Amino acid sequence: MKRPARIWAILVVAGFAAAAGAQTATDGRRSGFADMSPALQAIQRDDMSNPAMLWVAEGEAQWNARAGNAGKSCADCHGAGESMRGVAVRYPAFDAKARTVVDLDGRIDRCRNEHQRASSPAPESRPRLAIAAYVAFQSRGMAIAPPTGGSLDAAAIAGEALYRQRLGQLNLSCAQCHDERAGGSLAGVAIPQAHPTGYPLYRSEWQGLGSLQRRIRNCMTGVRAEPYPFGAPELVELEVFLMRRAAGMAWETPAVRP
Amino acid sequence: MNATRRTTLAGIAALAVAPFGAHATPETMRAAIAAVASGRPMREGKVTLDIQPLVDNGNTVPMRVEIDSRMEGADRVRAIHVFNERNPQPHVLSVAFGPQAGRASLSTRIKLGDTQKVVAVAEMEDGTLWTAGVDVIVTIAACIEGIE
Amino acid sequence: MAIPLVNAPARVRRGEVFEVKTLVAHPMETGFRPGMNGTLIPRDIVQRLRCRFAGADVIDVALSPAVAANPYVAFHVRAERSGTLELTWTGDNGFSASHSVAIAVE
């Protein structure tokens, strides 16, 4: 696991000089989709060839399967999967019962624990990603519409501070790459604007599906920072900030990325 | 289908004994191809091997191979074999076509560990062999992240 | 839980050539990748995908570790009469998955 950090260090040293002259962030926001090769774009455009659809299909099966001590399926309470249309584009949200800000995965997990009385699968495990992908897929094509409110506003402020804070041995902030150098490249790797439009998504590097939290943790490891643990409030705050920064952009789940 | 299956399985058996070390090389690829050809001459042509020339991540490289054939008589394609130069092993895949195949074509996605040449060899019903090769530049090789 | 995804038309014209697209969930672990403790992760791949239509072969594919994870394979079928398209995937560690689709020829 030290390998990506090493590779990134090489890329940063070798590539930043060249990227320094590249354009800085403009108001023209673009999804990471736009930075991919036409071949990967074609995979995302065709559901019949998008491997992420394997997880969506598993998620659909889970949606309809009874589980936990309550012996209830998601469908028993929520009806058809389409009832989830519009949900993913307004998460993270404030959960009044838990009195905290939760992301979509965290919200689903609460249903699993409290309503199904089932235990939580490990973060990034197949069942967990599959149901999140199925729920998020229902919102494909919709505009990101982050909710507001006291706790969420506070989370967004905290998230932005984290986004601008220098991290790790490479001493770089998210903003230094994703705002200042977006559109440039690190020795051949395109630096996207870091919009959270497609999660969970199929990343070629992972050869599988992964969450936005995993993606952020990858970037932290890349700058040789200790990544926040899955589910940490810092990661949820970064998610809140990234969603607000992408407000109005089109939802892509399940996307594909290099 | 029997002839077809025999062709493929003979091909695979030959690949299993092809000498390779830790990595395929242009030489081991040539040896693997020679095992399939078993002495028959190979001609360039008929085969379309479609791979993007510049790959952003070697883990998922779309590939399409197609032979210009009516899939009838001597023009029928029995099998296609695909090889690479620099992955750990030279063999990528072999496909045998049966009577219900509508075209001699296959699309899939492959892993490429490095910048290298990919070669396809098609075996026709009359035993003739046709081939095509493509050079692919890989910016981020397959399998670098390791296990998280 | 392997649920293959198969896209094929439900009805076609006699003699029509149509494309079938398939995906199956599988890590396609190469056997050449180091794991956490430095030793190689054992090979775990789909070795074979076979497709038959109306009892006769369409394709028989031998896959190697060089095929990408979650194998995608698309190919063309010719249908002269109605029948069932049967797909089977088999691989290391007893892996197997199958799927069938009824196709009506009109």
Side-chain angles (χ1 to χ4, degrees):
Chain A
M1 195 44 210
K2 285 280 145 320
R3 291 181 83 188
R6 198 197 66 217
I7 284 161
W8 274 43
I10 294 166
L11 295 179
V12 168
V13 170
F16 260 13
Q23 76 197 99
T24 48
T26 62
D27 45 0
R29 291 176 302 169
R30 49 193 261 142
S31 154
F33 178 87
D35 299 317
M36 307 198 289
S37 67
L40 286 184
Q41 290 181 345
I43 295 175
Q44 182 175 325
R45 279 202 193 96
D46 178 8
D47 283 348
M48 301 309 154
S49 90
N50 183 348
M53 292 307 288
L54 289 163
W55 279 258
V56 171
E58 282 184 30
E60 180 173 20
Q62 256 188 72
W63 180 265
N64 294 305
R66 303 229 149 89
N69 289 333
K72 287 214 149 82
S73 70
C74 317
D76 283 338
C77 295
H78 293 288
E82 292 82 66
S83 65
M84 289 284 137
R85 184 155 175 80
V87 172
V89 293
R90 55 175 170 74
Y91 269 77
F94 182 69
D95 187 318
K97 264 198 214 154
R99 295 169 169 280
T100 178
V101 174
V102 292
D103 64 9
L104 184 63
D105 170 77
R107 171 62 253 191
I108 293 170
D109 204 44
R110 280 206 41 226
C111 271
R112 210 183 266 118
N113 295 160
E114 290 166 25
H115 293 303
Q116 292 186 311
R117 281 188 278 122
S119 57
S120 308
E124 301 302 301
S125 61
R126 232 187 141 82
R128 200 149 165 158
L129 291 166
I131 190 71
Y134 177 67
V135 170
F137 166 65
Q138 307 301 325
S139 298
R140 189 163 64 172
M142 295 180 77
I144 291 180
T148 51
S151 306
L152 283 162
D153 295 349
I157 290 166
E160 174 157 15
L162 292 169
Y163 185 81
R164 306 205 177 281
Q165 178 186 80
R166 284 171 178 265
L167 290 169
Q169 287 176 33
L170 299 189
N171 200 32
L172 286 167
S173 69
C174 318
Q176 280 176 293
C177 281
H178 292 297
D179 291 346
E180 291 165 29
R181 290 175 178 84
S185 70
L186 286 174
V189 181
I191 305 178
Q193 292 180 356
H195 292 302
T197 45
Y199 291 83
L201 57 69
Y202 192 92
R203 190 167 174 227
S204 178
E205 188 69 37
W206 297 331
Q207 304 185 53
L209 216 69
S211 69
L212 179 56
Q213 293 203 357
R214 180 176 182 191
R215 176 63 257 193
I216 296 172
R217 283 168 47 96
N218 271 196
C219 278
M220 294 183 73
T221 312
V223 293
R224 298 189 180 173
E226 179 67 28
Y228 308 119
F230 281 108
E234 289 88 348
L235 287 175
V236 178
E237 286 159 4
L238 277 165
E239 289 180 88
V240 172
F241 170 69
L242 290 176
M243 285 293 275
R244 288 196 176 188
R245 188 168 159 270
M249 292 179 76
W251 193 246
E252 296 171 52
T253 307
V256 175
R257 293 291 183 269
Chain B
M1 187 63 188
N2 269 339
T4 315
R5 189 169 317 120
R6 240 181 290 121
T7 308
T8 309
L9 295 183
I12 303 308
L15 293 168
V17 299
F20 41 75
H23 271 262
T25 62
E27 291 70 44
T28 55
M29 179 172 81
R30 268 197 292 280
I33 293 173
V36 165
S38 55
R40 289 171 291 175
M42 267 189 313
R43 269 170 289 176
E44 300 257 335
K46 280 191 193 257
V47 182
T48 304
L49 180 58
D50 201 359
I51 307 181
Q52 60 190 117
L54 194 67
V55 168
D56 40 7
N57 187 291
N59 280 333
T60 314
V61 183
M63 178 199 95
R64 187 181 64 92
V65 59
E66 173 146 16
I67 285 77
D68 177 18
S69 155
R70 284 169 290 117
M71 289 307 260
E72 280 165 14
D75 189 41
R76 226 181 66 80
V77 179
R78 270 193 218 161
I80 305 175
H81 310 272
V82 181
F83 304 93
N84 74 89
E85 273 179 351
R86 297 204 185 274
N87 280 358
Q89 293 173 339
H91 183 236
V92 176
L93 62 83
S94 292
V95 51
F97 296 100
Q100 294 296 137
R103 269 195 220 162
S105 87
L106 190 92
S107 300
T108 185
R109 296 194 279 255
I110 65 173
K111 296 180 203 136
L112 290 176
D114 206 343
T115 292
Q116 58 182 293
K117 190 180 197 101
V118 178
V119 172
V121 176
E123 215 175 336
M124 310 298 289
E125 189 65 34
D126 62 8
T128 55
L129 300 174
W130 296 85
T131 181
V134 170
D135 290 300
V136 187
I137 296 169
V138 179
T139 46
I140 299 293
C143 316
I144 56 166
E145 194 187 36
I147 295 290
E148 204 175 352
Chain C
M1 180 173 42
I3 310 176
L5 291 179
V6 175
N7 182 253
R11 23 180 56 81
V12 295
R13 278 171 289 111
R14 186 173 307 280
E16 186 177 332
V17 171
F18 56 89
E19 188 172 34
V20 175
K21 295 179 178 179
T22 70
L23 276 167
V24 68
H26 199 285
M28 292 301 280
E29 190 58 62
T30 60
F32 299 100
R33 230 165 47 114
M36 295 261 244
N37 56 9
T39 58
L40 294 184
I41 305 169
R43 191 186 93 161
D44 181 13
I45 67 165
V46 177
Q47 293 181 21
R48 186 177 183 194
L49 163 60
R50 192 165 181 211
C51 175
R52 294 164 65 81
F53 179 68
D57 280 287
V58 180
I59 54 155
D60 192 349
V61 191
L63 296 85
S64 81
V67 172
N70 304 299
Y72 168 74
V73 178
F75 50 92
H76 290 84
V77 184
R78 185 201 311 270
E80 303 293 348
R81 64 203 136 89
S82 299
T84 304
L85 192 73
E86 294 168 280
L87 291 127
T88 48
W89 291 259
T90 47
D92 293 340
N93 306 313
F95 177 81
S96 89
S98 59
H99 190 87
S100 56
V101 189
I103 294 176
V105 169
E106 358 189 88

